[in-house]
């Protein structure tokens, strides 16, 4: 452990730089996926056949191993962080889309009919009824997507994306590199735990009081 601490002391600026780089790559991929998957989830939620089709397509992308996905994207759009952002985007669509559909479908038809009977437009129904009631489930999908993204981004080092995966692979390639591997693995795991914890707090803040988990 002393060797790990010594590595941090000697390379603190480098570790911090890769930590931020790793986090931003993961965050951008999940953010772009949210921009696409959440509206798509609202659109297909009440259309059973269409929702099954879209979720099945997203599920196919999820089953592709991360290295294989990065290799295919590398030939299409080249190497670097943008390729990993796109890979994270593809992987993040399924949990966000699936949870959005589940969240919208958890709103009872009677409640939807009552809102429509009060004269609400479709936009008002989405923003004032469906989204507040489904936000907890949607945030659960975003939390899962971000944790998954952090793991995928670590593999991005093999196509020159940088991030904490660089530290881990550097430890693999040198003799007696176990302390370097641990020095890269610790902040990667810590990032995943912190991301899940912070998004959990945000989820509780956004969830209506009557639906807040005890």
């Amino acid at each position: 452990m002393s060797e790990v601490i010594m590595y941090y002391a000697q390379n603190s600026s480098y570790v911090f730089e890769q930590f931020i780089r790793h986090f931003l790559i993961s965050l951008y991929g999940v953010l772009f996926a949210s921009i696409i998957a959440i509206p798509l989830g609202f659109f297909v939620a009440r259309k059973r056949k269409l929702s099954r089709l879209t979720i099945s397509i997203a599920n196919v992308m999820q089953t592709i191993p991360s290295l294989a996905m990065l290799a295919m994207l590398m030939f299409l759009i080249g190497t670097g962080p943008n390729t990993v952002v796109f890979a994270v985007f593809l992987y993040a669509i399924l949990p966000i889309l699936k949870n959005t559909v589940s969240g919208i479908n958890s709103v009872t038809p009677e409640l939807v009919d009552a809102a429509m009977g009060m004269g609400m437009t479709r936009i008002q129904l989405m923003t004032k009824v469906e989204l507040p009631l489904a936000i907890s489930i949607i945030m659960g999908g975003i939390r899962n997507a971000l944790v998954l993204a952090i793991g995928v981004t670590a593999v991005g080092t093999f196509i020159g994306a940088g991030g904490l995966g660089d530290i881990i692979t550097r430890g693999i390639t040198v003799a007696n590199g176990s302390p370097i591997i641990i020095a890269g693995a610790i902040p990667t795991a810590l990032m995943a735990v912190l991301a899940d914890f912070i998004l959990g707090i945000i989820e509780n803040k956004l969830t209506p009081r009557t639906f807040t988990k005890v």
Side-chain angles (χ1 to χ4, degrees):
M1 194 62 188
S2 60
E3 293 176 326
V4 175
I5 296 173
M6 184 179 298
Y7 180 86
Y8 286 143
Q10 295 174 349
N11 302 275
S12 57
S13 59
Y14 172 72
V15 173
F16 180 74
E17 177 186 346
Q18 297 305 319
F19 184 94
I20 297 299
R21 186 182 185 89
H22 193 120
F23 178 72
L24 289 177
I25 291 172
S26 304
L27 182 64
Y28 286 147
V30 173
L31 179 61
F32 294 145
S34 299
I35 292 172
I36 298 297
I38 293 175
L40 180 61
F42 271 86
F43 178 73
V44 304
R46 304 291 184 185
K47 303 173 179 65
R48 183 169 298 180
K49 290 183 179 180
L50 188 57
S51 66
R52 287 178 179 174
L53 176 62
T54 53
I55 290 174
S56 296
I57 294 171
N59 194 49
V60 169
M61 293 187 293
Q62 188 87 344
T63 59
I64 301 174
S66 54
L67 273 176
M69 176 73 80
L70 289 171
M72 289 187 292
L73 293 177
M74 181 180 65
F75 284 110
L76 293 174
I77 58 179
T79 60
N82 290 339
T83 305
V84 182
V85 169
F86 191 59
V88 169
F89 164 80
L90 294 176
Y91 279 117
I93 284 179
L94 178 62
I96 299 174
L97 175 63
K98 195 171 183 179
N99 277 42
T100 300
V101 171
S102 297
I104 300 305
N105 286 332
S106 69
V107 181
T108 60
E110 292 80 10
L111 190 57
V112 174
D113 291 340
M116 297 294 286
M118 293 172 61
M120 283 190 177
T121 65
R122 181 57 188 165
I123 297 297
Q124 289 174 326
L125 176 64
M126 289 170 55
T127 57
K128 295 184 178 181
V129 178
E130 292 178 330
L131 182 59
L133 294 178
I135 190 65
S136 178
I137 299 175
I138 295 172
M139 284 299 300
I142 295 174
R143 289 170 68 179
N144 291 338
L146 186 54
V147 172
L148 172 66
I150 291 169
V152 173
T153 302
V155 184
T157 183
F158 294 109
I159 61 168
L164 294 169
D166 274 10
I167 301 174
I168 297 173
T169 53
R170 184 174 298 181
I172 294 172
T173 57
V174 300
N176 301 319
S178 296
I180 302 177
I181 296 174
I182 296 172
I186 290 175
T188 304
L190 182 62
M191 183 189 301
V193 172
L194 286 176
D196 185 68
F197 177 74
I198 293 171
L199 286 179
I201 294 175
I202 296 173
E203 176 185 335
N204 288 332
K205 293 290 184 182
L206 293 176
T207 303
R209 288 184 180 276
T210 52
F211 291 90
T212 302
K213 297 176 183 179
V214 179

